């Protein structure tokens, strides 16, 4: 068509590389070949033609988010003659209808974050990973902290709920690992941080959370209640972190860990690799963070408890045992997410694993047999109906031994022998080895023999060994004195 401005049709066609007839055809109709094609008509009757406008469209208008499978089931219930093979047709038709006349959808406005300004906290449930500790399923979640600009992350394993103690401990661990604090801390409407009293309440912070933010010079903010995408900088990272942990567990070949500390080291290693990938941006943001205070603030709750004549104390509907010498004393307890640290005045006494109630109507027990074994040896029959008997046994082998003895030798003898087995494990510090031998005997169909086991694990610490002391003759010291005198004389002659 450019050549036709100055040349005839035949010459313009020749210069363009096609025949004179094609040139005249293009000149008569300049449309492209694709524009000349007639629309493809329907080859079979519309299976939804009779129900689309009258029944399906009203359903979509009244319930915009309904799935195609639900619409199909309802239409087939009304019209059994419609086959199940129209599902794909219905899905395409619904998608087109929503694009043309459907309701408006929410739009996510991506933000540009200033370095050093924004840090986010949230909890995410990780029980789906199926992690076990010593063969027992670990019900847990992760406290997750992230910087919006650089993507620095920190994860802390939480055994309980979304409490202030878990938030405080996890956040402080993250800040001290980072080496600074952002100017603003964002979370969702955690009850541990916000009272959530009223939409119009401006001062909605809990006193403890307000003190924590003031200690680290951070401004607390939160997203709107129930609007998770406003916390998108960490909500989306939850999924990526859990997928990374899942992949690492698959590569590891096992989801079982020897203890909780081993699993925590595993999580720290995975998070550390993710931070290494963002090292450049983290190093760019770190100088713009606020300096840390001189020390951490409290990341625990403090309670006062009294050790009762039952050999323990009750805290948060959980009974904890304590050494009997503490009966009648008041202990100051630092309550963490996973442990209790007990003090008598300012003297640390013990660290206990934190327990949880079994249900709303039933409390829990955290029992250390070392605390009660001396009293139990005096009253072995107390084991028979002890309320925390199942929690008293440190390993399953001891519980199996009690059941086997109970069936073979009766209540009294079973309680006596089981208590002596526990006392042997306590006195000789052989809990694991003794449990292994007991399990072997039971697997072989034999009851554990207390006399053989006592001999196996050495003499009793109460027995006094015979010690023979050989005295050195006094003449030996005279010889040493003579050697020293000769050496001193030779030194004086050398000086002279």
């Amino acid at each position: 068509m450019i050549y036709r401005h100055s040349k005839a049709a035949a010459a313009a066609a020749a210069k363009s590389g096609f025949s004179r007839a094609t040139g005249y055809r293009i000149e008569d109709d300049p449309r492209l070949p694709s524009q000349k094609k007639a629309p493809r008509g329907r080859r079979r009757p519309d299976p939804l033609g009779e129900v689309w406008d009258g029944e399906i469209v009203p359903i979509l208008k009244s319930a915009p988010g309904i799935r195609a499978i639900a619409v199909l089931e309802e239409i087939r219930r009304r019209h059994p003659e419609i086959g199940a093979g129209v599902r794909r047709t219905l899905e395409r038709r619904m998608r087109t209808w929503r694009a043309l006349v459907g309701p408006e959808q929410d739009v996510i406005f991506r933000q540009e974050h200033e370095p050093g300004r924004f840090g986010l906290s949230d909890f995410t449930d990780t029980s789906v990973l199926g992690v076990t500790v010593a063969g027992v399923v670990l019900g847990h979640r992760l406290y997750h902290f992230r910087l919006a600009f650089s993507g620095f992350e920190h994860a802390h394993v939480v055994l309980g709920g979304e409490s202030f103690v878990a938030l405080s401990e996890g956040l402080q661990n993250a800040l001290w690992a980072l080496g600074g604090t952002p100017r603003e801390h964002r979370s969702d409407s955690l009850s541990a941080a916000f009272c959530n009293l009223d939409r119009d309440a401006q001062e909605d912070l809990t006193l403890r959370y307000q003190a924590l933010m003031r200690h680290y010079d951070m401004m607390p903010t939160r997203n709107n209640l129930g609007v998770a995408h406003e916390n998108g900088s960490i909500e989306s990272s939850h999924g990526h972190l859990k997928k990374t942990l899942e992949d690492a567990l698959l590569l590891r070949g096992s989801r079982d860990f020897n203890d909780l500390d081993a699993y925590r080291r595993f999580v720290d290693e995975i998070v550390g690799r993710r931070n290494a990938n963002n090292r450049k941006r983290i190093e760019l943001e770190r100088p713009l963070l606020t300096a840390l205070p001189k020390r951490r603030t409290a990341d625990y709750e403090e309670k006062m408890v009294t050790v009762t004549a039952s050999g323990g104390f009750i805290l948060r509907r959980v009974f904890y045992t304590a050494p009997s010498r503490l009966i009648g004393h008041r202990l100051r307890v630092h309550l963490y997410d996973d442990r209790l640290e007990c003090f008598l005045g300012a003297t640390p006494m013990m660290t206990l694993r934190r327990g949880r109630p079994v249900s709303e109507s039933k409390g829990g027990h955290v029992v250390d047999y070392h605390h009660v074994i001396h009293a139990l040896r005096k009253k072995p029959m107390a084991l028979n109906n002890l309320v925390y008997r199942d929690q008293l046994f440190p390993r399953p082998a001891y519980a199996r031994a009690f059941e086997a003895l109970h069936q073979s030798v009766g209540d009294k003898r079973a309680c006596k022998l089981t208590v002596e087995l526990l006392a042997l494990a306590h006195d000789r510090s052989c809990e694991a080895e003794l449990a292994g031998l007991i399990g072997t005997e039971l697997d072989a169909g034999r009851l554990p023999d207390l006399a053989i086991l006592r001999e196996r694990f050495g003499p009793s610490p109460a027995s006094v060994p015979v010690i023979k002391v050989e005295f050195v003759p006094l003449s030996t010291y005279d010889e040493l004195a003579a050697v020293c005198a000769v050496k001193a004389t030779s030194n004086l002659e050398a000086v002279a």
Side-chain angles (χ1 to χ4, degrees), residues 438-459:
I438 293 174
T440 302
E441 292 294 308
L442 294 175
D443 292 338
R446 298 188 297 269
L447 294 177
D449 190 317
L450 184 60
I452 295 177
L453 292 174
R454 281 175 173 168
E455 184 179 355
R456 166 70 175 77
F457 289 101

Side-chain angles (χ1 to χ4, degrees), residues 25 32 108 118 128 140 147 180 187 207 222 242 269-270 290 296 301 304-305 327 329-330 370 397 414 442 447 464:
R25 187 175 71 251
L32 297 174
I108 296 178
F118 211 38
V128 68
H140 69 292
L147 290 180
S187 69
L207 295 177
R222 60 172 169 172
K242 286 190 280 191
E269 181 180 355
I270 300 303
T290 305
R296 293 169 62 120
E301 294 183 59
M304 297 297 295
V305 297
I327 291 177
H329 290 274
R330 284 177 60 81
H370 297 287
L442 294 175
L447 294 177
V464 179

Side-chain angles (χ1 to χ4, degrees), residues 460-467:
S460 172
S463 63
V464 179
V466 178
I467 300 175

Side-chain angles (χ1 to χ4, degrees), residues 5 28 96 101 116 128-129 164 180 212 228 279 301-302 368 425 431 462 478:
H5 292 304
D28 292 338
T96 302
V101 296
V128 68
L129 297 176
F164 173 77
L212 177 64
R279 179 176 54 83
E301 294 183 59
E302 187 170 287
D368 187 345
E431 177 188 305
D478 296 336

Side-chain angles (χ1 to χ4, degrees), residues 366-378:
V366 175
V367 180
D368 187 345
Y369 75 100
H370 297 287
H371 294 159
V372 297
I373 189 59
H374 297 295
L376 198 58
R377 293 185 77 174
K378 299 177 182 178

Side-chain angles (χ1 to χ4, degrees), residues 246-261:
E246 174 68 22
D247 293 339
L249 288 170
L250 291 173
L251 291 173
R252 184 174 181 267
S254 172
R255 298 174 186 267
D256 186 65
F257 294 84
N258 293 331
D259 50 38
L260 182 60
D261 290 337

